[in-house]
Amino acid sequence: MKIQLALDRMAIKEAISITKLVQDSVDWIEVGTSLIKEFGKNSISEIKRSFPNKMVVADIKTIDNAIYEFEMCFNAGADVATVMGVSPIVTIQACLQVAEKWNKKVMIDLLNTSDDQLATLSQFKSAIFCHHVSKDQQELDSSEKSGVRVFTDATPTIAVAGGITLQSIRDLASIRPSVIIIGSAITKANNPTQAAYEFKKTIIELEGQVNE
C-alpha cells in the first residue's frame, strides 16, 4: 500500500515545505484541487520540480473538457490526473486516451457515483478507482468512513480517501487498497514527520499481517 500525501488549502511554498518534512514516508504527492484552483498549473509544475522522483497526482477532478485539462496536467508534470466517475463516459474515455498518449495514469474519483455507474466504470481496467468520502461529508459526520464497494467482475486498482487516521486505517487492511490518500492527519499534525512515519510503519505492519 502506497501513501498518497494530499496537499490542500495551503500555498505552494507551504506545500513544498511540508512535503520535504515527510518525503521519506510518502510515495505519491497529490496536488490538491484547491491548489490547482488557486494557483493553476504552476502548482503542479512546482511540486514536480521539487520532487522529481515522486509520483505526482493532479487532483483536477475533471468532469468535462477532458482533453484540454488532462493535457494541461500532464504537460505540467503530473503522472496521474483525476476525473469524476459521474462524468459522461465519453469524458472518461477521453481522459484515458490522453493518459495513454502520455504514458500516464487516470484516477477515477467515485464520489457520489451510483452502483449502476460503478458497474459501467468497471470496464476501464487501466484506471485507478478512488473511493472517496467528501470533505463536506466528513465535516457533517465525523464518524463517516471511506466505504469501498465491490466490483462485480474483477478487482481493479483501488485508492481510498476521506478523513483517514491512524485509528481508521486498520479498517482498510482487509480491502488491501493500492493507495491510501492521507491529508490533514499528516499536514495538520503537530509533527508531520512523525505522523507520516507512523502511518508508514502501520501500513508495513498491516501488510505483513495480511501476507502471513
Side-chain angles (χ1 to χ4, degrees), residues 15-95:
I16 291 172
S17 295
I18 289 174
T19 306
K20 285 181 178 178
L21 294 175
V22 304
Q23 60 183 318
D24 291 341
S25 297
V26 304
D27 305 288
W28 294 10
I29 303 170
E30 174 190 316
V31 185
T33 313
S34 62
L35 262 72
I36 297 174
K37 284 185 174 181
E38 187 169 0
F39 302 106
K41 64 182 181 181
N42 285 342
S43 59
I44 304 169
S45 299
E46 289 297 320
I47 294 293
K48 187 63 177 181
R49 187 177 299 115
S50 298
F51 307 97
N53 297 320
K54 295 287 188 183
M55 289 281 286
V56 170
V57 181
D59 192 18
I60 188 100
K61 289 187 171 69
T62 288
I63 199 165
D64 191 16
N65 204 15
I67 294 174
Y68 178 84
E69 292 190 358
F70 265 53
E71 290 273 3
M72 177 185 71
C73 289
F74 295 145
N75 189 53
D79 302 288
V80 183
T82 65
V83 59
M84 300 306 294
V86 296
S87 304
I89 291 299
V90 66
T91 298
I92 297 174
Q93 289 172 330
C95 291

Side-chain angles (χ1 to χ4, degrees), residues 10 24 32 49 95 113 129 136 141 143 167 173 189 191 200 209:
M10 62 183 72
D24 291 341
R49 187 177 299 115
C95 291
T113 54
F129 291 86
D136 293 333
D141 181 5
S143 67
Q167 290 69 41
N191 186 335
K200 191 68 172 180
Q209 292 171 11

Side-chain angles (χ1 to χ4, degrees), residues 50-160:
S50 298
F51 307 97
N53 297 320
K54 295 287 188 183
M55 289 281 286
V56 170
V57 181
D59 192 18
I60 188 100
K61 289 187 171 69
T62 288
I63 199 165
D64 191 16
N65 204 15
I67 294 174
Y68 178 84
E69 292 190 358
F70 265 53
E71 290 273 3
M72 177 185 71
C73 289
F74 295 145
N75 189 53
D79 302 288
V80 183
T82 65
V83 59
M84 300 306 294
V86 296
S87 304
I89 291 299
V90 66
T91 298
I92 297 174
Q93 289 172 330
C95 291
L96 288 160
Q97 288 166 3
V98 174
E100 184 177 8
K101 184 181 92 171
W102 283 80
N103 195 28
K104 306 290 187 178
K105 298 289 290 184
V106 174
M107 183 179 288
I108 301 176
D109 190 322
L110 299 177
L111 183 66
N112 214 38
T113 54
S114 67
D115 289 341
D116 287 344
Q117 287 169 320
L118 187 67
T120 301
L121 294 170
S122 66
Q123 67 183 285
F124 302 121
K125 307 299 184 185
S126 64
I128 302 163
F129 291 86
C130 179
H131 294 268
H132 183 190
V133 176
S134 74
K135 184 68 175 176
D136 293 333
Q137 183 63 46
Q138 293 172 51
E139 292 175 349
L140 181 67
D141 181 5
S142 61
S143 67
E144 184 71 21
K145 295 181 181 180
S146 297
V148 179
R149 289 169 289 167
V150 177
F151 285 78
T152 56
D153 55 349
T155 303
T157 303
I158 295 294
V160 291

